[in-house]
Amino acid sequence: MRARHKPWAESYINEHPDVVIQEPERLKGRWAEEFGNGHPIHIEVGTGKGRFITGMAEANPDINYIGIEMFRDIIVTAVQRADEAGKPANLRLLNVNAERLEDIFASGEVGRVYLNFSDPWPKVRHAKRRLTHDNFLGRYERILPPEGEVHFKTDNRGLFEYSLMNVTDYGMRLVDVSLDLHADKPEWNIMTEYEEKFSSKGQPIYRLEAAFRNEGK
């Protein structure tokens, strides 16, 4: 995702430490203390402008949500959105690279991972950057509990086919697969900005849910 440079972004983010957590590594294994409760923690990797994660937080007050976005000029819009929503108590944002997930969360501390309209990185030499590559699946597995789930949405058929193949090759169990999510108009679905844009043009939205296998069973 590319965004116009916002010179005011850093100062705006710094003015909202209750929304954007600085030095999140200090909370590894202690996120329940940050939220003040023992509710499940769901994260979105590549939260973009924050429409999905804010909507999920508002719709599900008994789940804690953390949106992760590495680009400051993008996450600042998510901060604004959270501010406009009244700063939901169950929502936090992190301006970090997802490669640091294991520095931020302890094993089993995250209940679910969401990936929405991730960069497809279409060139083969860039495959390792895809958020459904083995490198990232391993990171998710190490912060999720046994049988923890990854929920993935995209408009890019090539990325979807790659992801479908890769999660199964990794050993994950497919829980649900949709080749046209909006055909059934699911009431539970909260759209991202990209999702609304593409679906309004009649493009199918692909979705999968995959669970890691509990090797102890």
Side-chain angles (χ1 to χ4, degrees), residues 31-47:
W31 282 99
E33 296 178 26
E34 168 63 25
F35 285 105
N37 58 61
H39 296 164
I41 296 172
H42 293 182
I43 69 172
E44 182 187 18
V45 178
T47 205

Side-chain angles (χ1 to χ4, degrees), residues 7-207:
W8 49 270
E10 182 175 7
S11 60
Y12 188 87
I13 289 171
N14 290 337
E15 290 167 4
H16 293 79
D18 51 339
V19 178
V20 186
I21 303 301
Q22 304 297 326
E23 300 179 0
E25 297 88 348
R26 62 187 169 82
L27 292 173
K28 180 176 180 177
R30 299 175 45 239
W31 282 99
E33 296 178 26
E34 168 63 25
F35 285 105
N37 58 61
H39 296 164
I41 296 172
H42 293 182
I43 69 172
E44 182 187 18
V45 178
T47 205
K49 297 179 180 179
R51 176 174 174 177
F52 174 84
I53 202 75
T54 303
M56 291 293 281
E58 291 180 303
N60 304 287
D62 292 332
I63 298 176
N64 297 321
Y65 290 92
I66 300 175
I68 299 168
E69 175 58 56
M70 66 183 291
F71 296 110
R72 182 184 299 156
D73 290 332
I74 294 175
I75 198 172
V76 70
T77 302
V79 182
Q80 291 177 310
R81 190 182 295 276
D83 201 15
E84 291 167 0
K87 299 181 181 179
N90 61 332
L91 174 64
R92 301 291 188 276
L93 300 172
L94 306 181
N95 185 201
V96 299
N97 191 312
E99 293 179 353
R100 295 170 55 193
L101 287 177
E102 292 170 86
D103 297 327
I104 297 169
F105 302 105
S107 175
E109 192 168 26
V110 173
R112 180 176 296 168
V113 174
Y114 289 99
L115 307 173
N116 294 313
F117 299 85
S118 311
D119 192 325
W121 293 106
K123 295 182 180 179
V124 174
R125 69 175 184 270
H126 292 154
K128 291 184 178 180
R129 301 181 185 180
R130 298 170 190 162
L131 293 182
T132 48
H133 185 274
D134 287 8
N135 289 347
F136 283 101
L137 294 181
R139 293 183 176 102
Y140 309 148
E141 184 176 23
R142 289 187 286 274
I143 64 173
L144 286 166
E147 301 184 354
E149 294 184 355
V150 175
H151 291 198
F152 171 77
K153 288 194 291 188
T154 184
D155 66 300
N156 188 297
R157 187 176 181 90
L159 179 61
F160 185 74
E161 292 174 348
Y162 166 86
S163 301
L164 198 60
M165 178 181 67
N166 215 51
V167 299
T168 52
D169 286 350
Y170 190 87
M172 298 180 73
R173 174 175 58 87
L174 291 174
V175 178
D176 186 65
V177 175
S178 175
L179 300 180
D180 191 355
L181 176 62
H182 288 247
D184 296 327
K185 299 179 180 179
E187 294 182 2
W188 47 261
N189 183 54
I190 291 180
M191 289 196 288
T192 72
E193 292 87 356
Y194 276 129
E195 185 173 358
E196 182 175 49
K197 174 184 176 181
F198 295 136
S199 62
S200 68
K201 296 179 180 179
Q203 295 179 231
I205 302 301
Y206 308 101
R207 183 178 184 273

